[in-house]
């Protein structure tokens, strides 16, 4: 049985009375999870959903998300998860492109999904945050539809730097294998674990490493619909969370929480960071403040997502993304696809059980991304003598200043070392002679002070003369994507930099 939802049935058979999902006072056991998901599967069938159909989901991290997700899989559908903040026009694009038969949305925020479904001419359904079965449940056949390893389980839309979003087609084998490797070799989870569910489940990091790996372990996933540093710390203390997974901005928010010392976080045994590079200073500060280890890894929507990690029982190298996980190969290549020389910067290429089937309905884009069986990530890295990879930067975000390559990550790391800096984003701005000039937007920690001249001088002392940012300006906060990842491309330039 290749269906990813088999994991839920297996765990419920072993640990049916244990808590599976929690959101504040609402708790669902594994038996309850399985039964409600089976009801949703029956309800979807009654609405005409057949094996291979696509079902859109516009849900935040509420109890109904895992239930609808596994219910759709049980019905044999492929799930198209969407960010609840999307506008109707954006939802409409996803529904049209994926050919979805139905979209399920949270009742309180269903307007965009309902409007989009009407525009496309497909059915829509709403669920409340806690009991998806109340409106979507059906009676009758709640059995698991058999699926092939290579059938799509999820179509996850990913925004490139050009063109409309593309749907990464992740198979049952992709997601099942990545969840199992995450669970067995990284989390080493047990039914006694409580996993913090603050990573968006509509994003593959949260979906695989929190939900699917948690189900395999028989662990409890405690959900936080909208991330807030103080609320996250209070949930860790209340629920005795053992595994925290987040993106660097989440770690930073908890670290800079003014009253962090009043929360008991002694239950934490493992923290996992991904989504973007973790500044070394943030990692060091977090580990000192909270007394736990942070393991940094790397992956993409197209790789289900985990590709490499600092493994629990190997040497941990802060500032690196570790080594490839089980079942995955990684190498560094030049623009022609040839291996780069040891120590040189190259583009990460990935091959393995985690690599997507392709971009939904886009064979040319798929061939471009996976020209020879190796997925081209667009990320630049170096590999050290021990085989550890360190991200240098996004290939497309590299700044070329007067013929010299400047990697934004390096400049940001230098800024993060300044005691007043909370967040930093380094970008290239047009320059008439040099092509591009280095610029940086900086958000300061609460109550801290530093002016742009001081920050510019700080970086100048730490990097080569051609690298330091000639333009530095202060902002209240930096633009972030749905997972909390800082979006360099969305940073607004002040007037004096634009002219």
């Amino acid at each position: 049985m290749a269906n990813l939802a088999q994991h839920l049935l297996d765990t419920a058979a072993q640990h049916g009375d244990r808590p599976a999902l929690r959101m504040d006072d609402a708790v669902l056991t594994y038996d309850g999870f399985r039964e409600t998901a089976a009801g949703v599967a029956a309800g979807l069938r009654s609405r005409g959903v057949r094996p291979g159909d696509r079902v859109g989901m516009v849900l935040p991290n509420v109890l109904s998300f895992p239930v609808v997700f596994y219910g759709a899989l049980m019905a044999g559908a492929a799930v198209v998860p969407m960010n609840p903040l999307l506008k109707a026009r954006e939802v409409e694009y996803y529904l049209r492109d994926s050919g979805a038969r139905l979209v399920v949305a949270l009742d309180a925020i269903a307007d965009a999904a309902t409007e989009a479904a009407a525009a496309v001419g497909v059915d829509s359904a709403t669920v409340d945050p806690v009991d998806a079965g109340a409106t979507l449940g059906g009676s009758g056949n709640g059995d698991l539809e058999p699926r092939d390893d290579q059938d799509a389980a999820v179509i996850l839309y990913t925004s490139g730097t050009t063109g409309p979003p593309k749907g990464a087609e992740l198979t049952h084998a992709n997601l099942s294998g990545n969840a199992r490797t995450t669970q067995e070799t990284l989390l080493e989870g047990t039914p006694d674990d409580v996993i913090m569910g603050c990573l968006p489940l509509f994003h593959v990091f949260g979906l695989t490493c929190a939900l699917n790996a948690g189900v395999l372990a028989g662990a409890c996933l405690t959900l936080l619909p909208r991330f807030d540093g103080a609320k996250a710390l209070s949930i860790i203390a209340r629920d005795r969370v053992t595994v925290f997974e987040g993106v660097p901005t989440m770690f930073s928010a908890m670290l800079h929480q003014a009253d962090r010392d009043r929360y008991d976080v002694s239950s934490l045994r493992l923290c996992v960071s991904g989504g973007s590079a973790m500044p070394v200073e943030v990692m060091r500060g977090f580990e000192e403040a909270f007394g736990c280890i942070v393991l940094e890894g790397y992956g993409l929507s197209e790789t289900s997502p985990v590709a490499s990690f600092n493994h629990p029982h190997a040497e941990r190298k802060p500032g690196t993304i570790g080594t490839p996980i089980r079942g995955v190969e990684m190498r560094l290549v030049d623009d022609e696809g040839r291996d780069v020389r040891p120590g040189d910067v190259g583009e990460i290429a990935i091959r393995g059980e985690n690599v997507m089937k392709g971009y939904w309905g886009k064979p040319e884009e798929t061939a471009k991304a996976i020209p020879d069986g190796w997925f081209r990530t667009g990320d630049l890295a170096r590999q050290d003598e021990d085989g550890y990879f360190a991200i240098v930067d996004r290939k497309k975000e590299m700044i070329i200043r007067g013929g010299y390559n400047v990697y934004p990550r390096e400049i940001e790391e230098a800024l993060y070392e300044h005691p007043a800096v909370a967040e930093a984003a380094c970008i290239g701005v047009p320059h008439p002679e040099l092509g591009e000039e280095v610029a940086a937007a900086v958000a300061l920690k609460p109550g801290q002070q530093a002016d742009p001249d001081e920050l510019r001088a700080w970086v100048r002392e730490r990097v080569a003369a051609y690298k330091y940012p000639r333009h530095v300006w202060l902002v209240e906060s930096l633009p972030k994507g749905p997972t909390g990842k800082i979006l360099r491309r969305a940073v607004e330039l002040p007037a004096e930099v634009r002219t």
Side-chain angles (χ1 to χ4, degrees), residues 70-130:
Y70 273 87
L73 292 179
M74 290 172 79
V79 180
V80 184
M82 295 176 233
N83 186 336
L85 298 178
L86 293 178
K87 305 294 186 190
R89 181 178 58 82
E90 296 163 307
V91 176
E92 183 181 335
Y93 171 79
Y94 292 154
L95 295 178
R96 277 193 203 284
D97 191 72
S98 66
R101 176 178 285 275
L102 171 80
V103 61
V104 181
L106 185 68
D107 50 13
I109 53 166
D111 290 355
T114 306
E115 182 185 328
V120 178
V122 299
D123 196 9
S124 63
T126 61
V127 293
D128 77 17
V130 175

Side-chain angles (χ1 to χ4, degrees), residues 410-436:
E410 183 183 0
I411 310 308
E412 289 161 5
E413 285 285 1
L415 282 163
Y416 276 113
E417 289 172 18
H418 190 285
V421 171
E423 296 177 342
C426 176
I427 55 176
V429 296
H431 188 277
E433 285 86 42
L434 298 168
E436 286 183 291

Side-chain angles (χ1 to χ4, degrees), residues 334-354:
D334 61 18
D335 290 343
E336 277 73 52
R338 299 176 301 227
D339 289 339
V340 301
R341 293 176 303 185
D344 282 1
V345 173
E347 181 180 2
I348 298 175
I350 300 172
R351 180 170 71 177
E353 63 186 18
N354 61 335

Side-chain angles (χ1 to χ4, degrees), residues 61-73:
N61 283 22
V62 293
L63 284 190
S64 289
F65 186 111
V67 170
V68 173
F69 178 75
Y70 273 87
L73 292 179

